[in-house]
């Protein structure tokens, strides 16, 4: 086909603003049923969507910030502006809708999913719900643990047993292989939905939630221990007031130990693998050992500083 005319358009990407020069081609054969029908360059579709000014990389980043990092629209807008993208909040909302549409098109490709699961011979179904903002719809994602593919994603206003069972049934009908097991966080509505839609199928908690539930008694005891330890180190602020305005070595040492105690108190740790109570006990014990060593040696204030 001959090049009929040239169009120019601007596309905003994460790498900056790009100006595209597009050669539009038309068939010149009058007997052709597509006579004079314009054809755009195929490479154009790799950058933006049709009739859009923002690149696909911007749309992908917006989707990742929303659903992976749970950012709000104003927060996403700030991130894009910080990266040099000239965009308003309203455009962020519109592009987020485009992202959801692209994901839906990807998930609706049943032939691709059937080909992947057919090689495995079975599916291990994982169910989880995500609520990006309080009071909004919950995005429910049903994923295959073996292939890592998302089988279904849909937003629901409610998360009842009937609603979730309907999603599971929809996944069952779209697969050509059986569902051999289910994994979830153990929410009651999910348990009931799996029991009704997947009768006789094993259903277990995910590793994170299983570990959290198993460590709950230890976590409660550790939290109580931390509360009791914090009672013994109260009164840091009055000590700091006593050395305000002083620049001698003894005052600097006192302020340093007070800062160490305050830092130890505010460290929450990462239970259950790193309990905050035990961590506080270790740090306070180290501070106590340091003070006790100074007391036993009877060193001067100048030696403290060294």
């Amino acid at each position: 086909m001959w090049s009929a005319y040239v169009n120019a358009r601007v596309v905003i990407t994460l790498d900056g603003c790009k100006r595209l020069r597009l050669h539009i081609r038309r068939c010149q054969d009058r007997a052709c049923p597509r006579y004079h029908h314009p054809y755009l360059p195929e490479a154009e579709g790799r950058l933006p969507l049709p009739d859009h000014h923002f690149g696909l990389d911007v749309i992908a980043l917006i989707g990742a910030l929303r659903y992976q990092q749970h950012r709000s629209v104003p927060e996403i807008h700030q991130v894009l502006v910080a990266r040099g993208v000239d965009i308003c909040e309203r455009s962020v909302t519109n592009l987020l809708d485009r992202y959801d549409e692209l994901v839906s098109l990807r998930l609706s490709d049943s032939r691709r999913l059937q080909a992947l699961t057919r090689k495995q011979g079975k599916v291990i179904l994982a169910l989880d719900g995500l609520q990006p903002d309080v009071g909004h719809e919950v995005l429910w994602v049903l994923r295959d643990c073996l292939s890592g593919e998302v089988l279904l994603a849909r937003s629901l206003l409610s998360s009842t047993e009937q609603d979730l069972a309907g999603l599971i049934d929809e996944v069952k009908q779209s697969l050509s292989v059986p569902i051999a097991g289910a994994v979830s966080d153990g929410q009651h509505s999910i348990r009931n939905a799996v029991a009704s839609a997947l009768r006789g199928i094993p259903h277990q908690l995910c590793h994170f939630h299983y570990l959290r539930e198993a460590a709950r008694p230890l976590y409660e005891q550790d939290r109580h221990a931390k509360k009791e330890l914090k009672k013994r180190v109260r009164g840091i602020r009055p000590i700091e007031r006593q050395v305000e305005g002083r620049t001698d070595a003894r005052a600097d040492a006192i302020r340093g130990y007070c800062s160490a105690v305050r830092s130890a108190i505010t460290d929450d740790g990462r239970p259950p693998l790193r309990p905050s109570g035990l961590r506080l006990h270790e740090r306070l014990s180290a501070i106590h050992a340091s003070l006790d060593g100074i007391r036993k040696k009877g060193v001067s204030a100048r030696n403290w500083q060294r």
Side-chain angles (χ1 to χ4, degrees), residues 168-281:
I168 298 175
D169 288 334
E170 186 173 345
V171 170
K172 286 175 57 179
Q173 295 176 4
S174 65
L175 296 174
S176 58
V177 295
I179 298 177
V183 181
S184 72
D185 60 0
Q187 183 177 329
H188 289 292
S189 58
I190 298 179
R191 293 182 182 181
N192 296 333
V194 172
S196 61
L198 302 174
R199 297 184 181 276
I201 299 300
H203 181 198
Q204 78 170 45
L205 292 174
C206 70
H207 295 169
F208 171 79
H209 292 89
Y210 184 86
L211 178 61
R212 186 184 65 179
E213 294 298 325
R216 187 177 296 277
L218 176 62
Y219 169 74
E220 296 296 336
Q221 295 179 10
D222 179 77
R223 186 175 64 173
H224 177 72
K226 181 179 181 179
K227 182 176 65 175
E228 296 299 323
L229 285 172
K230 291 173 66 174
K231 292 180 180 179
R232 301 184 182 183
V233 291
R234 290 177 178 174
I236 299 177
R237 186 55 185 160
I239 298 176
E240 291 177 324
R241 288 196 182 100
Q242 294 178 8
V243 295
E244 285 182 354
R246 290 173 50 181
T247 58
D248 57 286
R250 183 186 296 271
D252 290 340
I254 292 175
R255 281 192 288 266
Y257 278 109
C258 289
S259 297
V261 172
R262 180 175 288 106
S263 176
I265 293 175
T266 56
D267 188 358
D268 293 332
R270 290 188 175 182
L273 299 180
R274 300 185 65 182
S276 57
L278 292 178
R279 184 172 177 82
L280 176 60
H281 181 269

Side-chain angles (χ1 to χ4, degrees), residues 76-250:
I76 297 174
H77 176 253
Q78 293 178 0
V79 172
L80 293 175
V81 172
R83 297 191 57 167
V85 179
D86 188 11
I87 190 173
C88 64
E89 288 191 14
R90 182 63 179 269
S91 295
V92 173
T93 303
N94 294 336
L95 294 181
L96 185 60
D97 294 337
R98 302 292 84 74
Y99 177 86
D100 294 336
E101 292 171 357
L102 291 174
V103 172
S104 299
L105 289 174
R106 173 74 173 178
L107 297 179
S108 62
D109 189 359
S110 59
R111 293 184 179 179
R112 181 184 63 87
L113 294 176
Q114 288 183 4
L116 288 173
T117 56
R118 193 178 298 114
K119 295 180 181 180
Q120 304 170 175
K122 60 182 178 180
V123 165
I124 305 297
L125 189 65
L127 298 86
D128 197 8
L130 170 66
Q131 190 174 27
D133 290 322
V134 178
H136 287 67
E137 297 179 345
V138 178
L139 176 63
W140 283 96
V141 179
L142 285 74
R143 183 175 59 89
D144 175 31
C145 295
L146 299 180
S147 64
E149 291 289 335
V150 176
L151 304 176
L152 180 66
R154 183 166 301 162
S155 296
L156 298 177
L157 290 174
S158 62
S159 302
T160 62
E161 173 187 345
Q162 292 76 13
D163 295 332
L164 299 181
L167 297 181
I168 298 175
D169 288 334
E170 186 173 345
V171 170
K172 286 175 57 179
Q173 295 176 4
S174 65
L175 296 174
S176 58
V177 295
I179 298 177
V183 181
S184 72
D185 60 0
Q187 183 177 329
H188 289 292
S189 58
I190 298 179
R191 293 182 182 181
N192 296 333
V194 172
S196 61
L198 302 174
R199 297 184 181 276
I201 299 300
H203 181 198
Q204 78 170 45
L205 292 174
C206 70
H207 295 169
F208 171 79
H209 292 89
Y210 184 86
L211 178 61
R212 186 184 65 179
E213 294 298 325
R216 187 177 296 277
L218 176 62
Y219 169 74
E220 296 296 336
Q221 295 179 10
D222 179 77
R223 186 175 64 173
H224 177 72
K226 181 179 181 179
K227 182 176 65 175
E228 296 299 323
L229 285 172
K230 291 173 66 174
K231 292 180 180 179
R232 301 184 182 183
V233 291
R234 290 177 178 174
I236 299 177
R237 186 55 185 160
I239 298 176
E240 291 177 324
R241 288 196 182 100
Q242 294 178 8
V243 295
E244 285 182 354
R246 290 173 50 181
T247 58
D248 57 286
R250 183 186 296 271

Side-chain angles (χ1 to χ4, degrees), residues 11-28:
V11 178
I12 301 176
T13 67
L14 296 178
D15 297 328
C17 184
K18 297 183 178 181
R19 184 177 181 87
L20 304 182
R21 183 177 175 85
L22 309 175
H23 286 269
I24 311 300
R25 301 179 182 276
R26 285 180 173 176
C27 179
Q28 304 298 325

